[in-house]
Amino acid sequence: MNDINMTIFYKLMMPGSSLFEFPTPINEAYGWHFQYLTIIGLLLATLSFTFGSLADITSSQGLFRLKNAFSLVATPLEVLVSILYGGLTLVDKELVIPQEFQMGLLPDIGFHALPALVLTIDFLFLSPPWTISSRQALIMSTTFAFAYWFWVEQCYRHNGWYPYPIFAALTTPWRIMLFTFSGALMTASMEALKLVYSKINGSDSTKI
């Protein structure tokens, strides 16, 4: 399955219209749906597959490198989203989605599980290995986590509420711990994916 086929599969399975079908305060809020880490991850995943499809069509190595750059961030981020969402849902789903805005099973899977699955398959079987070091991965993931926190607080200053109820339930020290943990978990996800990749493809896989 090449990047074009993966993109078609991803588009068919992604319930993107759900952003418009269910009217919520977020639709009119500062930051729109990009207040959600889930939606930011979906944007990066979509860009990755879009550039991958264009690279397949044009045989452009530049576009292929651009696709892989987006994938480097999007894949561990989507794995992080799946782990955090799944874990918090087991504790109390209303920590991430208020009862009145909870969605059906298929959109739920489409937003919070499918992107991680498709991106992981794309990386393991259709992409070159990541060459980022563990230290670089930690710096990238931690920077991303705290940049997202800054963005969330910026949106809060305009809207007066947080996109995820758990943020309102936590004090600032606990939020620091949450975002630090998220950065570490994203790093661990990246390292785990690199390890699985080397087991499947060999540690000396050719860089494309």
Side-chain angles (χ1 to χ4, degrees), residues 14-99:
M14 267 305 304
S17 60
S18 296
L19 297 180
F20 306 96
E21 290 172 357
F22 303 106
T24 68
I26 206 82
N27 289 32
E28 306 298 329
Y30 179 88
W32 198 58
H33 288 272
F34 293 111
Q35 295 181 64
Y36 291 114
L37 186 64
T38 300
I39 304 304
I40 294 173
L42 290 176
L43 173 63
L44 294 174
T46 300
L47 289 171
S48 176
F49 283 121
T50 298
F51 285 122
S53 295
L54 291 174
D56 283 336
I57 293 170
T58 63
S59 298
S60 169
Q61 289 298 307
L63 287 173
F64 191 56
R65 284 192 292 270
L66 196 56
K67 174 259 182 185
N68 290 328
F70 277 104
S71 176
L72 177 65
V73 181
T75 305
L77 176 59
E78 288 291 3
V79 172
L80 172 68
V81 166
S82 295
I83 294 173
L84 290 179
Y85 181 80
L88 290 171
T89 296
L90 289 175
V91 176
D92 183 357
K93 194 168 186 177
E94 291 191 34
L95 288 172
V96 284
I97 304 178
Q99 178 64 40

Side-chain angles (χ1 to χ4, degrees), residues 110-187:
F111 279 117
H112 302 111
L114 185 69
L117 175 62
V118 176
L119 283 164
T120 297
I121 292 172
D122 178 75
F123 168 61
L124 294 178
F125 300 104
L126 301 172
S127 301
W130 293 334
T131 57
I132 187 171
S133 68
S134 299
R135 180 173 179 273
Q136 291 170 328
L138 179 61
I139 292 172
M140 184 190 77
S141 300
T142 303
T143 300
F144 188 95
F146 280 89
Y148 175 65
W149 184 22
F150 175 84
W151 167 239
V152 165
E153 294 294 341
Q154 174 72 7
C155 292
Y156 177 82
R157 282 191 286 272
H158 286 267
N159 300 324
W161 42 267
Y162 289 105
Y164 295 112
I166 189 175
F167 294 157
L170 297 176
T171 61
T172 297
W174 280 102
R175 287 186 205 134
I176 293 173
M177 291 180 64
L178 174 63
F179 286 100
T180 301
F181 171 75
S182 297
L185 187 55
M186 184 173 170
T187 303

Side-chain angles (χ1 to χ4, degrees), residues 183-203:
L185 187 55
M186 184 173 170
T187 303
S189 300
M190 187 177 297
E191 291 300 303
L193 286 168
K194 287 168 59 179
L195 178 62
V196 174
Y197 185 99
S198 68
K199 297 295 184 182
I200 294 174
N201 300 287
S203 58

